[in-house]
Amino acid sequence: MMTNSEPGRGMGPILEALRRVWGYDHLRPLQTEAVDAALSGRDALVVLPTGGGKSLCYQLPPLVSGKATVVVSPLIALMRDQVRALEVNGYPAAALHSGVDFEDVRAIESRLHSGEVNLVLAAPERMVTTGFRGLLARLADAGRLGAIAVDEAHCISQWGHDFRPEYRRLAELREVVPHTPMQAFTATATPRVRQDIIVQLGLREPEVLVGVFDRPNLTYRVRARQSGALAFKQAAEAIARHQRAGEGGAIVYCISRKEAEEFAEALRGLGFDAQPYHAGMKDHQREHVERAFINEQLGVVCATVAFGMGIDRSNVRLVVHAACPKSVEAYQQEAGRAGRDGEPAECLLLYGSSDAARWSRLILRDVPPGSPVPVSARAQLDLIREAQRFVATMRCRHRALSEHFGQAYEPPGPNGCGACDVCLGETEVEPDSARIAQILMSAVARLDQRWGAAHVTDVVRGAENKIIKANAHDALSVHGMLKNHARGEVQMYLEQLVAMGALQRHLTESGFEVLRFGDLGNAVMKAQTPVTLARPMGSGSMRREKTRKTRSATAEPMVLNADEQALFETLRHLRLTIAKEESIPPYMVFSDATLREMAQRRPNSRRAMMEIKGVGQAKWDAFGQSFLEALSASSH
Ligand code: ADP
Ligand code: ZN
C-alpha cells in the first residue's frame, strides 16, 4: 500500500498525465490520497467543497491504470459538459443516458471493452438496469473495471438537501462487481450525511477524505430583504458593482418561478441582461438560457434552485439569494458556484421573515392534512431552521459555515475573516438590545408559548388584524411596544433569540410552528444574561472591501496593471472567437486564471506557454499557436 509521504509507485505517471491532459503541475493534497485509494483498490468517501477538484480524483486513475472507471452522475447536462471538457483536453470519455440511442450505446460498450474509452458517465437509474449490470460484470471479468465513482453522493441521503431515491439502489452494484472499489464524492456533507453515504452505499472500510470547507475567496453578506421593488434594487446594486469591474456572471436564486420571472424582468428594466430559469419553462428555453450563460453571452440568470447543478462557469462573480436558502448545505453549494476559479467573488443573501414559512409549505405540500409528518419531511424542516439560524446569527459567516461542516475555522487575521459582513463591520449593534429582548420574551410568555414568530411580531408591532382582535391580543401589555421597529427587524431579533437559546421553535402535531422558551429563556427575560442584538444594515451602506489585505494569500486575485489588463481583454476576445468556432463554452478553451497568467507572463514559445497553469498537451495543440500569435502581436 502506498502512503502519502512515499512518492514511490505511481506518482510519476500520475504527474505526467496531470501535466499532459490538464496542464497542472501538482495534485492538491486530498486528490493525491483519493487517486491513490482508487489505484490501490480501496473504497473512499471524498468530501471536497465545490471547486475543490473532485472530478480529477476519478478522471485520473484510468489514465494511469488503463482500466475503466464508471461514474454515477445525476444530471445529463452535467455529464455532457464533462465529456466535452475532457474531449477538449484530448481525453476520450462517454456518457450513457436516455438521450443516447441504442447504436451509440453499443459503440460505447465496444470502445469500453477495447480500452479506447476508459471513463464512462451514467445516470443512477441506468446503472442498476439489467443491461448495465451485465456490462459491468463483463468488464470486471475481463479485468477492465478499475473503479465505480459516485458523484454528488449526498443525493443518497434523506438527511441531505437533495435526496434522490434512485441513488438508493446503487448498493446493489456491490453484488454485481464485489471486488471493484467504490468511491463516493460530494461537496456538501454534514457528519450525519457522511455516515449515511457510507452505510447506504455499503462502503468497506473507506478512506474518508474531507477537504477544507472554507472558501476564502468568497465574501459573504447577509442582509434583510427590503420590500417590493427595493429588493430588486438591492440585487441590482450588487450586480452593478461586479459588472462595473468588467466581467463575470451573476446568479440570483429565488424560491418560486414567479419570483425568478419578476427578478429577471425588473433587472432587465434596470438595464441588465437578465433571463429567468426555472422548471416551468420549456426544455429548449431553459437550455438556451443555460448555454447563453455558460458561453458568456448572458450576464445574469434569475433561477429557482434547480439551476446550476450542471453549470461549471468558473467566473461567476456574484451569487445572490433572493430569499433564505432551504438549508445550510444548499447554501454552501449554491453560493459555492461563485468564484470557482479561486478569484474573489461575492455571495449576497437577502432574507425575509416569510422565507422559512414558504419553504415549510413547499415541504408539507404533499403531506395530507391530519396525517403525521414523515421523517424525511421533518428532516427538511430541521434543515430550514438551521439555515435560519445561520442567517440570524451575527457570527463570522466563514466560521459559521466551516463549523456547520464540523471544521474549526482559523481566521487569517486579527479582524476575523475579512470577507464577511460581520467581520467587515457592516452590521450594527442595536443599542436597545436588553429592553427589546425582554419585550419579545414577555410577548412569547403572554402568548402562552403557543404562537408562531409572525404572530408574535404582529403583536409587538401593534397590528390590529382579525386574529389579534379575536384573541384579544391587543389587550396585552406588550401589544405595540415595538411599533417603531420594522417587521423584518423584529423577526430578525426573534431569530437571534432562537439562535442563542433564549427561544426555541416547536412544531405542533398539526405542523404549526410555535415559539417557546429555550434553556436561556428565563434568564434573558429577567435580564440576568446580557444580550446583544445586531441589526444588519440595509444596502447602500456597505463598506468598500478595504480589508482585502487580511485575506489569505490564495484568495488574492492576480492583480494586472493597465497593459496586462488590456492584453487580458484581447485574449478573452480571442477565446470567445475560438469558443464560437469550436461550439464549446469559453471556459473550456482556457479559464480566466490561465488567461491572466498569460497576460502577465507573456509566454513567447511553446515551452513557456506550456508552463502556464491550465495549458496541457491537447490545448496547446488546439489553441496554443493562436494565443502565442495574439501575445506576440500585442508586444509590438
Ligand atoms: P468540483 O467538482 O470539486 O467542484 P472541479 O473538479 O470542477 O471541482 O475542479 C474545479 C477547478 O479546479 C477546475 O477548473 C479544475 O480544472 C481545477 N483543478 C482541479 N484540480 C486541480 C489541480 N490539481 N491543480 C490546478 N487546478 C485544478
Ligand atoms: Zn467573517
Side-chain angles (χ1 to χ4, degrees):
M1 200 171 77
M2 178 172 117
T3 63
N4 202 18
S5 55
E6 181 194 344
R9 169 177 83 85
M11 260 343 253
I14 292 173
L15 288 179
E16 188 278 324
L18 185 67
R19 268 191 211 109
R20 177 169 47 85
V21 176
W22 287 276
Y24 297 149
D25 52 16
H26 59 272
L27 280 176
R28 295 172 183 161
L30 291 183
Q31 287 179 326
T32 308
E33 293 175 52
V35 168
D36 190 21
L39 288 176
S40 48
R42 274 171 292 143
D43 285 357
L45 169 63
V46 183
V47 189
L48 280 174
T50 309
K54 284 178 290 298
S55 6
L56 269 186
C57 300
Y58 57 77
Q59 292 166 347
L60 251 177
L63 293 175
V64 179
S65 69
K67 294 184 184 176
T69 290
V70 175
V71 185
V72 184
S73 180
L75 286 183
I76 295 183
L78 204 74
M79 295 184 217
R80 280 200 192 127
D81 269 7
Q82 194 172 136
V83 168
R84 273 207 305 176
L86 285 170
E87 280 170 350
V88 174
N89 279 337
Y91 181 145
L96 287 172
H97 50 73
S98 50
V100 182
D101 67 25
F102 185 69
E103 285 291 300
D104 287 338
V105 172
R106 292 294 293 271
I108 291 169
E109 290 192 11
S110 86
R111 289 170 76 205
L112 266 172
H113 279 293
S114 70
E116 241 175 288
V117 165
N118 278 330
L119 191 81
V120 63
L121 290 82
E125 55 276 14
R126 179 141 200 140
M127 294 283 275
V128 293
T129 57
T130 322
F132 206 93
R133 285 161 183 248
L135 171 66
L136 286 179
R138 285 192 300 279
L139 281 174
D141 283 347
R144 293 265 320 111
L145 187 62
I148 294 176
V150 182
D151 206 2
E152 311 288 354
H154 58 276
C155 293
I156 205 169
S157 173
Q158 64 176 353
W159 309 112
H161 60 90
D162 202 9
F163 177 47
R164 286 165 191 247
E166 319 80 274
Y167 263 68
R168 280 292 166 87
R169 292 186 57 199
L170 290 173
E172 295 170 23
L173 298 178
R174 294 247 97 146
E175 293 153 32
V176 183
V177 285
H179 304 298
T180 304
M182 194 180 252
Q183 269 132 15
F185 297 87
T186 178
T188 56
T190 50
R192 180 163 62 170
V193 173
R194 235 175 264 166
Q195 192 53 35
D196 208 19
I197 292 173
I198 293 174
V199 172
Q200 300 284 346
L201 281 178
L203 298 184
R204 291 177 294 230
E205 295 178 30
E207 187 94 41
V208 179
L209 304 168
V210 182
V212 175
F213 265 86
D214 186 49
R215 299 272 311 274
N217 60 320
L218 301 186
T219 295
Y220 297 103
R221 294 196 159 92
V222 179
R223 299 258 185 283
R225 186 177 62 238
Q226 298 183 339
S227 56
L230 290 176
F232 304 137
K233 290 232 170 82
Q234 283 178 293
E237 191 233 24
I239 297 169
R241 232 174 331 115
H242 290 277
Q243 292 200 339
R244 258 201 315 276
E247 43 148 325
I251 303 175
V252 180
Y253 280 116
C254 304
I255 297 184
S256 71
R257 297 169 185 185
K258 184 164 157 272
E259 235 171 15
E261 300 269 354
E262 285 170 359
F263 256 91
E265 198 183 313
L267 289 173
R268 275 201 305 277
L270 292 167
F272 297 96
D273 57 335
Q275 290 293 331
Y277 179 101
H278 56 72
M281 289 160 57
K282 299 227 164 52
D283 281 355
H284 73 270
Q285 291 173 319
R286 264 210 320 265
E287 235 161 79
H288 179 74
V289 170
E290 194 170 275
R291 286 291 135 200
F293 187 69
I294 292 183
N295 293 337
E296 304 190 5
Q297 284 147 357
L298 174 66
V300 187
V301 174
C302 303
T304 52
V305 291
F307 180 78
M309 263 203 99
I311 300 299
D312 191 13
R313 178 165 171 179
S314 61
N315 64 350
V316 172
R317 297 269 72 86
L318 171 72
V319 171
V320 177
H321 277 77
C324 183
K326 65 177 174 172
S327 68
V328 181
E329 286 87 333
Y331 183 64
Q332 163 90 1
Q333 189 149 84
E334 288 149 18
R337 293 188 180 119
R340 287 176 74 134
D341 51 12
E343 302 200 26
E346 176 175 352
C347 307
L348 171 65
L349 194 168
L350 304 173
Y351 70 90
S353 49
S354 57
D355 299 346
R358 291 172 64 205
W359 283 121
S360 305
R361 271 200 300 280
L362 283 176
I363 287 162
L364 296 172
R365 192 176 45 187
D366 302 326
V367 181
S371 62
V373 180
V375 177
S376 61
R378 280 191 179 259
Q380 303 301 308
L381 294 175
D382 278 348
L383 297 181
I384 296 174
R385 271 189 285 280
E386 281 178 358
Q388 275 182 295
R389 262 200 296 282
F390 168 75
V391 163
T393 319
M394 291 294 131
R395 299 173 65 216
C396 170
R397 314 287 174 193
H398 282 269
R399 176 183 293 279
L401 285 172
S402 289
E403 290 182 357
H404 182 83
F405 293 101
Q407 293 185 339
Y409 176 76
E410 280 302 320
N415 300 324
C417 73
C420 82
D421 54 344
V422 178
C423 296
L424 289 168
E426 295 175 358
T427 52
E428 259 177 275
V429 170
E430 165 59 57
D432 212 9
S433 294
R435 192 183 70 96
I436 291 177
Q438 273 180 294
I439 292 171
L440 291 173
M441 295 306 293
S442 42
V444 172
R446 297 278 153 78
L447 291 166
D448 297 327
Q449 309 193 38
R450 284 176 48 217
W451 292 85
H455 188 72
V456 174
T457 305
D458 283 345
V459 170
V460 296
R461 292 187 67 241
E464 305 273 1
N465 61 38
K466 263 193 232 145
I467 304 178
I468 287 186
K469 292 245 155 89
N471 291 281
H473 288 164
D474 48 354
L476 296 175
S477 59
V478 289
H479 185 254
M481 281 185 88
L482 295 180
K483 60 174 175 286
N484 295 329
H485 293 261
R487 193 180 168 76
E489 208 179 302
V490 173
Q491 210 97 31
M492 175 83 195
Y493 297 146
L494 286 172
E495 294 298 344
Q496 290 177 56
L497 291 171
V498 171
M500 75 179 69
L503 292 173
Q504 63 183 27
R505 287 200 165 74
H506 173 77
L507 198 62
T508 63
E509 281 308 312
S510 48
F512 185 66
E513 203 175 74
V514 302
L515 287 176
R516 286 189 177 175
F517 270 39
D519 298 339
L520 285 179
N522 285 319
V524 170
M525 189 163 74
K526 293 180 187 146
Q528 289 159 348
T529 293
V531 178
T532 309
L533 297 172
R535 58 175 178 209
M537 301 195 288
S539 67
S541 44
M542 207 174 282
R543 277 190 211 167
R544 288 274 164 253
E545 290 166 46
K546 59 182 179 195
T547 36
R548 272 276 159 67
K549 278 185 226 69
T550 63
R551 314 260 308 259
S552 68
T554 53
E556 286 299 332
M558 212 182 284
V559 181
L560 302 182
N561 64 31
D563 282 357
E564 291 161 350
Q565 185 65 32
L567 183 50
F568 173 63
E569 293 305 332
T570 308
L571 297 178
R572 283 185 70 217
H573 196 258
L574 172 61
R575 174 177 69 177
L576 196 59
T577 312
I578 294 179
K580 278 192 190 140
E581 279 166 17
E582 305 274 331
S583 308
I584 54 175
Y587 74 82
M588 282 189 195
V589 178
F590 287 124
S591 72
D592 284 4
T594 299
L595 294 191
R596 275 208 186 87
E597 202 179 323
M598 281 185 200
Q600 208 162 45
R601 290 173 46 178
R602 297 176 191 253
N604 57 6
S605 65
R606 171 181 178 278
R607 202 192 151 90
M609 190 63 127
M610 290 199 61
E611 274 171 16
I612 303 274
K613 203 172 119 195
V615 186
Q617 187 61 51
K619 286 199 179 162
W620 161 260
D621 290 344
F623 318 124
Q625 205 61 46
S626 312
F627 281 86
L628 263 192
E629 279 162 22
L631 285 160
S632 114
S634 76
S635 61
H636 301 312

